[in-house]
Amino acid sequence: MGRFTLPRDLYYGKDALENLKNLDGKKAIVVTGGSSMRRGGFLAKVEEYLKEAGMEVKIFEGVEPDPSVETVMKGAEEMRGFEPDVIVAIGGGSPIDAAKAMWAFYEYPDTTFEDLCIPFNFPKLRQKAIFVAIPSTSGTATEVTAFSVITDYAKGVKYPLADFEITPDVAIVDPALVATLPEKQVAYTGMDALTHAIEAYVSTLNSPFTDPLAIKAIEMVFDYLPQSYAGDMDAREQMHYAQCLAGQAFSNALLGIVHSMAHKTGAAFSTGHIPHGCANAIYLPYVIKYNAHEPEAMRRYADIARRIGLGGTSEKAQVNALIAKIDEFNVKLNIPKTLKDFGIKEDEFKEKVAKIAELAVGDACTGSNPREITPEQMEKLFVCTYYGTEVDF
Ligand code: FE
């Protein structure tokens, strides 16, 4: 038995933000991050539209990147005091993720992260409030997904929350909010979206409901990412939709080991953080090569290659053409080909790779990868991504 869940309403396009005027409710709390939404004038607009809808409005500002348990608890407490019936989260992935967790603790003050961490074990939300998500980055697609990640810095652990209860009720995908994204972020988040769509398409949980979303997202990324990177605002708008389609696919089909690898290497090295989308972009070609040893995965990668118009007389040739196309994209977007080129030190890599490989195999995304992987194989795969050597196992 399968389940496919998306937000009830999705508003998109120019001035989509204005749809806030049509929401029903008495009190709205707006959860946001640093100051970019205020500086851009978007926070003021949100407040104005919600007031036009007849709501009393409270703002909760300052959700940090990689939001903490403390921020979630603080937000939930504010919500319990204010008693909103509408929660509006606006900003990058972090404030939206944080607001999802605040929502759970607002409605269920006695719940714990340990309980919420058990996949698909949430209590029933929407007893007190509905949830509206408005993304200001193009990549994570948290506005349409059943996921949130919260960090407990004291314990040094990340809580990955996964349940369709936290899939937002309303998503507002307004291109004005991504018009000023820095070039690097356009590249990284665009490749994150491509990875979401490709991993969802070959996932063991793929379905006739997620396939069309994934394929369309892949076509759109290949059509629009380079121009969006170059600053073309029409292409930027299409990328904002493409990442949202990819999110709808992977929220329901889950992901694979590109994400397992990115999750466990993001903060692993002393030379600095590897941005999530950049890590995905580096690993994706190697993982395709690894997964394509599984015939069903090979068939699906070949499908993708044909859909984006790549040639090749055999499935194997088509998969190789897809890998070459991704390599070509990474070059265009100034993304390094290997962890070595990214600047990870060889000594440190060698010292840590076995442990990282073991952790990556244990990541929540490994379960839906189309080919199984042992810690030894994972270590070999990481070594290939470090030196740029051929994946031949
Ligand atoms: Fe991702």
Side-chain angles (χ1 to χ4, degrees):
M1 189 186 68
R3 178 175 175 182
F4 180 81
T5 300
L6 293 177
R8 168 73 172 76
D9 290 305
L10 197 151
Y11 298 102
Y12 62 94
K14 196 175 174 299
D15 300 325
L17 202 56
E18 276 191 39
N19 285 288
L20 288 171
K21 289 181 193 170
N22 306 322
L23 287 174
D24 287 325
K26 292 189 179 67
K27 289 180 176 185
I29 189 160
V30 180
V31 179
T32 189
S35 51
S36 69
M37 289 297 96
R38 187 178 279 288
R39 270 200 319 271
F42 297 113
L43 200 56
K45 276 190 188 166
V46 165
E47 205 173 346
E48 182 193 317
Y49 296 149
L50 290 169
K51 283 182 177 161
E52 266 187 60
M55 285 186 248
E56 188 186 333
V57 182
K58 190 177 177 88
I59 310 277
F60 183 90
E61 268 181 286
V63 175
E64 69 275 44
D66 298 318
S68 65
V69 165
E70 288 77 18
T71 299
V72 169
M73 294 310 178
K74 216 172 113 195
E77 203 180 304
E78 292 252 357
M79 287 179 187
R80 285 196 291 272
F82 181 60
E83 300 192 320
D85 45 12
V86 177
I87 298 167
V88 178
I90 179 169
S94 297
I96 300 177
D97 273 12
K100 285 175 172 177
M102 291 171 190
W103 186 21
F105 282 98
Y106 166 44
E107 300 212 357
Y108 294 91
D110 297 330
T111 192
T112 63
F113 272 105
E114 282 68 26
D115 284 340
L116 296 180
C117 245
I118 304 167
F120 301 94
N121 186 52
F122 264 60
K124 266 217 152 333
L125 296 180
R126 300 166 176 79
Q127 312 296 313
K128 294 182 181 168
I130 61 155
F131 194 97
V132 181
I134 311 169
S136 68
T137 56
S138 277
T140 71
T142 185
E143 72 275 12
V144 291
T145 73
F147 311 120
S148 158
V149 182
I150 305 299
T151 306
D152 187 329
Y153 289 92
K155 291 187 187 156
V157 293
K158 278 188 189 281
Y159 296 116
L161 311 181
D163 197 296
F164 291 118
E165 283 300 319
I166 52 170
T167 299
D169 296 281
V170 178
I172 299 181
V173 187
D174 187 326
L177 276 77
V178 290
T180 58
L181 279 182
E183 191 183 59
K184 256 199 169 140
Q185 224 181 318
V186 171
Y188 295 163
T189 56
M191 290 308 287
D192 187 26
L194 179 66
T195 307
H196 292 155
I198 293 181
E199 294 214 282
Y201 193 72
V202 301
S203 156
T204 56
L205 291 170
N206 73 70
S207 76
F209 303 93
T210 55
D211 282 351
L213 295 162
I215 280 287
K216 182 66 182 172
I218 293 165
E219 287 177 348
M220 289 174 79
V221 173
F222 280 115
D223 282 345
Y224 295 111
L225 182 52
Q227 298 97 297
S228 172
Y229 182 63
D232 177 322
M233 286 304 141
D234 292 329
R236 182 76 49 86
E237 176 176 358
Q238 296 303 316
M239 276 306 299
H240 204 31
Y241 304 153
Q243 64 86 32
C244 184
L245 291 174
Q248 294 172 39
F250 91 81
S251 186
N252 291 284
L254 307 186
L255 295 166
I257 57 171
V258 179
H259 271 77
S260 306
M261 295 168 80
H263 289 157
K264 304 308 180 202
T265 46
F269 300 105
S270 63
T271 36
H273 187 75
I274 312 175
H276 175 70
C278 180
N280 282 333
I282 295 173
Y283 300 143
L284 183 60
Y286 300 92
V287 169
I288 293 178
K289 196 97 201 187
Y290 174 81
N291 283 345
H293 281 92
E294 187 69 46
E296 174 61 13
M298 159 101 85
R299 194 182 67 71
R300 288 198 150 249
Y301 288 127
D303 267 358
I304 294 171
R306 287 191 304 272
R307 281 296 289 260
I308 58 169
L310 298 175
T313 46
S314 64
E315 283 186 343
K316 195 170 175 202
Q318 288 160 358
V319 175
N320 285 335
L322 176 65
I323 292 170
K325 180 83 181 171
I326 296 166
D327 284 340
E328 180 196 314
F329 249 60
N330 281 343
V331 171
K332 262 189 218 163
L333 300 171
N334 290 307
I335 291 171
K337 169 99 185 108
T338 63
L339 287 177
K340 191 172 186 201
D341 293 344
F342 181 83
I344 308 295
K345 290 194 195 112
E346 191 171 11
D347 288 354
E348 192 182 7
F349 174 78
K350 282 184 172 166
E351 185 195 316
K352 292 182 173 171
V353 64
K355 183 72 198 162
I356 291 172
E358 193 189 319
L359 291 172
V361 170
D363 188 86
C365 292
T366 304
S368 45
N369 192 67
R371 184 182 171 196
E372 285 188 13
I373 190 159
T374 63
E376 293 70 34
Q377 286 170 316
M378 182 62 93
E379 187 174 336
K380 275 169 81 178
L381 191 54
F382 267 121
V383 169
C384 292
T385 69
Y386 187 85
Y387 297 102
T389 44
E390 191 67 15
V391 178
D392 55 3
F393 54 92

